[in-house]
Amino acid sequence: MEGEDLLNYVYWGNQPNNNYRYGSAMTVRADQSVQFVNRLMAPGKTLVKWHSAGNYQAQRVVPQLPELLSKQAYQFKAVMKVKPTARVMLRASFYDAQGDVIKEFQAHGNQLTVTCPLEVVSYTVELINLGCWELDFKRLEIADQGTEQNITLPTLSNPIPGQPVSVLLLETRRTSSGIDCNALAKQRFVSNLLPVVIPWQERNDAVDLAKTRIEQAIPDHGRVNLIGTSPTTNALVHQLIDWQPTWHGFTLAPDELPINSRIERYQINYRSDAFWQGAVRLPIMTILQELRDQLGVARPK
């Protein structure tokens, strides 16, 4: 887990023996979230277990967890709702080449910080029951300890009064964010930049999510530029543009949606075949550099 993959997403999954099935009622949704109910499960039992290594030939199990770097600290966070609240525990176990445990970390609740041992060959992560009977589980997030996990909450860094806010709409990939919001905050192309990240699992609620994020960061709305960066976020620009009469939109061509006098198309020099196949490993700085003159804002110094 390195480079621009700052945040990895792991889902419940349906691999053999990775979750507790006795007396359990499970509903797996299209977005890979899981509703799990079992009122008879004893405390201390493992609800679900993920593996970094697998043996497909013998067990039909493939790796579910990303590779970690030795001596690096990581945060594990289970995004879920639990009944009763907090009646769960996360446990991470690290193994050597003989399959023996060399280090184990555990913590009550949905978050756990670990440091990957030097001799590690594989590891597992378990979600353990401490008296809960129902879970609404979305995903397990794995990030560097210094990475802000709550990336969907936008911040407006050093706003310049009197200038419009440029809302950069971004979407995550299925397995990781691939978005460095810290680098975006330091960019020098566009002032008053507000990144709004739409997680893959939240696509169906993208309009309401984007409105909420913008209202949190810009209570008085004012002049806003909405910037689409993908087919999904292009559509979001079209849906949001009429929310406020002072807003203007920019969508990345080709944009097949109906012409709107308050939306401009823009183009970048990028391989369109890879882009339109759904890759969200975006050339974001290239987009900002292309748009800086069109946005009508002063460049930050």
Side-chain angles (χ1 to χ4, degrees):
M1 183 169 60
E2 52 188 338
E4 58 184 322
D5 290 335
L6 301 176
L7 184 66
N8 280 263
Y9 300 146
V10 179
Y11 304 98
W12 187 287
N14 57 2
Q15 297 197 40
N17 303 319
N18 81 323
N19 56 72
Y20 191 89
R21 296 183 179 273
Y22 302 106
S24 302
M26 286 180 53
T27 301
V28 182
R29 305 184 185 97
D31 65 357
Q32 296 189 28
S33 64
V34 169
Q35 182 78 22
F36 177 95
V37 179
N38 190 326
R39 293 182 174 271
L40 301 177
M41 184 178 179
K45 296 291 186 180
T46 297
L47 289 152
V48 60
K49 186 174 184 178
W50 299 276
H51 304 261
S52 70
N55 186 334
Y56 186 80
Q57 294 296 330
Q59 302 171 318
R60 294 297 188 265
V61 173
V62 297
Q64 301 157 291
L65 298 170
E67 180 180 352
L68 304 183
L69 302 178
S70 297
K71 298 184 178 182
Q72 175 68 44
Y74 294 93
Q75 293 176 335
F76 295 80
K77 178 181 177 181
V79 180
M80 61 185 174
K81 295 179 181 178
V82 182
K83 295 181 182 179
T85 304
R87 294 288 188 89
V88 292
M89 180 176 73
L90 278 174
R91 180 166 64 201
S93 304
F94 294 85
Y95 303 89
D96 61 16
Q98 286 71 44
D100 297 324
V101 175
I102 54 176
K103 192 73 174 180
E104 192 169 88
F105 302 85
Q106 61 187 33
H108 288 197
N110 68 332
Q111 296 191 61
L112 174 67
T113 299
V114 308
T115 300
C116 184
L118 180 64
E119 307 88 353
V120 67
V121 172
S122 64
Y123 71 103
T124 61
V125 178
E126 297 172 80
L127 182 63
I128 298 172
N129 178 20
L130 293 183
C132 73
W133 59 72
E134 183 174 350
L135 288 176
D136 194 329
F137 184 92
K138 283 196 171 183
R139 59 186 176 270
L140 177 70
E141 297 179 351
I142 305 176
D144 291 348
Q145 188 175 16
T147 300
E148 176 59 53
Q149 290 204 24
N150 199 7
I151 60 172
T152 55
L153 293 179
T155 57
L156 195 56
S157 178
N158 300 320
I160 300 176
Q163 296 289 343
V165 174
S166 293
V167 176
L168 187 68
L169 298 169
L170 305 162
E171 60 176 320
T172 65
R173 292 176 294 174
R174 187 181 297 254
T175 56
S176 64
S177 73
I179 297 168
D180 189 341
C181 287
N182 291 327
L184 287 177
K186 298 175 184 177
Q187 59 81 37
R188 295 290 180 177
F189 300 119
V190 177
S191 60
N192 291 0
L193 184 71
L194 180 67
V196 174
V197 180
I198 309 296
W200 171 77
Q201 286 182 310
E202 312 293 343
R203 283 185 178 183
N204 292 336
D205 302 313
V207 174
D208 291 337
L209 179 62
K211 283 184 177 181
T212 300
R213 301 296 188 241
I214 294 169
E215 283 182 326
Q216 289 171 341
I218 321 171
D220 59 353
H221 301 124
R223 291 186 297 152
V224 172
N225 296 312
L226 300 169
I227 304 172
T229 57
S230 67
T232 297
T233 55
N234 277 356
L236 192 53
V237 170
H238 284 266
Q239 293 172 292
L240 291 172
I241 195 68
D242 292 327
W243 188 24
Q244 298 291 330
T246 57
W247 290 11
H248 194 78
F250 294 87
T251 56
L252 180 55
D255 178 6
E256 306 298 335
L257 294 169
I259 299 296
N260 186 312
S261 61
R262 291 164 57 198
I263 297 178
E264 298 180 40
R265 267 76 164 173
Y266 71 93
Q267 291 183 321
I268 58 172
N269 294 322
Y270 190 66
R271 290 187 58 189
S272 60
D273 57 339
F275 182 86
W276 294 110
Q277 288 173 3
V280 191
R281 206 177 274 270
L282 296 175
I284 298 173
M285 296 304 177
T286 303
I287 289 174
L288 296 177
Q289 187 173 14
E290 174 65 30
L291 287 175
R292 63 184 176 187
D293 295 326
Q294 295 175 255
L295 294 174
V297 298
R299 289 183 63 186
K301 296 180 181 179

